[in-house]
Amino acid sequence: DGAKAFAEALKVNSTLTQLDVRNNRMKDVGAKAFAEALKVNSTLTQLYVWDNRMKDVGAKAFAEALKVNSTLTQLDVRRNDIQEDGTKAFAEALKVNSTLTQLDVSNNGMKVGGAEAFAEALK
């Protein structure tokens, strides 16, 4: 699968700082592969993965990566199908990540519980 191959390359790439893979239908499988790459990549600062049909499984994978990634400053996951569980996972990641300055989760399925989790994480 193309997303997996791309993500594998990202694990060893040491020059790329911005990557835009929006509207590629990578779904959760591709999202998980990119999330694994973020755990070891040390140069990427901006990643745009919006409109990729990602659901909570992919969102949770990205959230786990954010807990250990120390270079990403912008992550855009808007226009996917992330619901409350994925939103809560991002909120938990924000509690420990100290480098992310922009996270766009607009046009997903954030419900009251997800919004409350974000509010708590941002305190």
Side-chain angles (χ1 to χ4, degrees), residues 2-21 26 30-49 62 69 71-72 75:
K4 286 183 182 179
F6 207 151
E8 284 301 311
L10 194 57
K11 286 182 180 180
V12 295
N13 180 277
S14 61
T15 56
L16 196 65
T17 60
Q18 297 180 38
L19 180 59
D20 188 338
V21 290
M26 71 171 70
K32 286 169 61 175
F34 271 92
E36 284 302 310
L38 280 181
K39 289 181 179 179
V40 295
N41 179 280
S42 62
T43 56
L44 201 65
T45 59
Q46 299 175 24
L47 179 59
Y48 303 94
V49 289
F62 269 112
N69 179 282
T71 56
L72 201 67
L75 177 60

